[in-house]
Amino acid sequence: MSFKAFIIAGLLFAVFSLSLISFDTQHSHIADDDGRALFIKNCSACHMLPDPASLTKQIWHNHVLPVMAARLGIIYPAYDPLRGLSAEEKKIVNNNYIIPDQPAMSDADWKKLSDYIVSNAPDTVVIDESRLTRNAPLKAFKRQDIVLDGQQPSLITGLKYNNAKQTLWIGTLNNKVLRWKYGRGVTGTINTSSPAVSFVFKNDTTYLTQIGKLYPTELSTGLISQYVNGTNPTLLPALHRPVSIAVDDMNGDGLPEIVVCSFGNKTGQLSLFSKKKTNGNYSEKVLLKLPGAVKCYIRDMNGDGKKDIVAMFSQGDESVYVFYQKDKLKFTSSRVLRFPPNYGTTDMVLTDFDRDGKTDIITVHGDNADYSNILKPYHGIRININNGNGKFSEKYFYPIYGVTRVLADDFDKDGDTDLVATAFFPEFTKLIDESFIYLENVDNKAFKFKSYTTKNATPIKTLTLEKADVDGDGDLDIITGHFAQSPGAVPDSLDTKWRSANYGLSIFYNQLYQPKKVKQ
């Protein structure tokens, strides 16, 4: 289950007492084998099979198993899988057969399956002590906090820098878009119908993705608008929580197509919208009906001269697909990466990491908002190298608790790819500084990085991460937008700091070159 690009879930579940039945050794072994077989059969039908040891007994029993059972038509006592949904949303869920009318297995088989999971799960997880000494003090970047419009607490939902205009576009939870320039501050404000979570710039047009409801819903209240010449008309209405788009002329007809990640909730999809020359209206082609579409790119992935689509899905069946264009917006899809549902996939970037001319995929896994908010050693950054012929393999993993965003670029200008990451769900005590981490590439072939963090009175708390030469000195700076709310429990002292912070942006100015000082 995942947090995905700005989505904060606050689902609470009834706690059930664990009843254990004693078996003699032989019967216990048989039951364990039966439970394992049922686990493999039923828990790999919709997503990659998770490891029972990846979550604790308490998390499995109290939070995850009731949700799993409901998807199999088995409803735990005192647990309503549709609690909190409106009548309209319940109708949508029922129409999509999310919860089966009849159980997919007997109570006896469900008990074997769930007992197998719980018996193979650990009692607790502990912090990885080796991480406490791995980070050096960050000196390559200098943090500066910037007050925007006085809105407190700051709740920034989207960031994108327009290099052509040297302007940062900022979406906020209170349905505003701010335009900010270095040395001048906020230069303009645009009202939106819902929070803007992403921006795409094409010539003099800005495409705004407005999510509708930030929190999980089955209602389609999101939209794409088109800001041009001071107006912001709706382009694509009634979208189901869109979080990311890509815009390009994919078929060479002179009209840009729009790929939309409708993250949704229990339902969702990836769609391609193409504009008709006759009337200027858009028609929709659903490329994949699957919830959790969170990030997409348009890129020629196989070198055939046609523009393809790379899309990440992060809700349940966590995967990366490539949609190869065959001809005139006709596609064949291939799932090139897949992850277990508890990885909490949140972000990806495309880059040629090994400099071999092929596009590699860097993925991030660290959502911890939904059902299993414990420290997860498998949270982190994965570098997946393109082996050719549509095959990718994980070559490097850097563990970071609760990591949610990543950037990849040559920040120190030494000819290789460095990484910057932020964690919305870090370990909140000893490793809170890893909410912002810089990974300097020191050996590209060996995948060796040196990690840096910075200590500040108020640690970074962000859903957004952007890179740009903000001060115009020739190197790349890093921008984060403060988001003060927390979807789960955090220490009171941290919560107070985040909510009382008067700034909206934290810019990490690259110290590679020194610009002329400009008063902010």
Side-chain angles (χ1 to χ4, degrees), residues 139-204:
K139 296 180 180 179
F141 294 84
K142 184 177 181 181
R143 173 178 169 178
Q144 182 179 359
D145 298 327
I146 296 174
V147 177
L148 290 174
D149 58 354
Q151 190 74 26
Q152 191 175 331
S154 173
L155 297 166
I156 290 177
T157 56
L159 282 182
K160 189 66 176 178
Y161 193 83
N162 186 332
N163 289 291
K165 304 291 185 181
Q166 298 180 334
T167 301
L168 179 68
W169 288 61
I170 306 164
T172 68
L173 190 61
N174 66 335
N175 301 344
K176 301 282 186 183
V177 169
L178 310 177
R179 286 172 294 173
W180 179 91
K181 290 180 74 73
Y182 177 74
R184 293 178 56 188
V186 176
T187 59
T189 302
I190 303 167
N191 294 320
T192 55
S193 60
S194 68
V197 295
S198 73
F199 308 92
V200 172
F201 309 111
K202 288 289 182 181
N203 300 320
D204 291 328

Side-chain angles (χ1 to χ4, degrees), residues 432-484:
I432 185 60
D433 294 335
E434 289 196 351
S435 59
F436 181 94
I437 188 166
Y438 172 59
L439 298 176
E440 178 192 4
N441 190 338
V442 295
D443 190 333
N444 198 67
K445 291 184 178 180
F447 295 94
K448 185 177 180 180
F449 292 85
K450 187 172 182 179
S451 60
Y452 300 86
T453 58
T454 180
K455 290 187 179 298
N456 291 92
T458 305
I460 291 296
K461 182 119 179 341
T462 186
L463 297 174
T464 51
L465 184 62
E466 175 66 317
K467 61 181 179 178
D469 184 5
V470 176
D471 52 15
D473 67 347
D475 53 30
L476 286 173
D477 310 305
I478 309 301
I479 314 166
T480 66
H482 188 59
F483 192 94

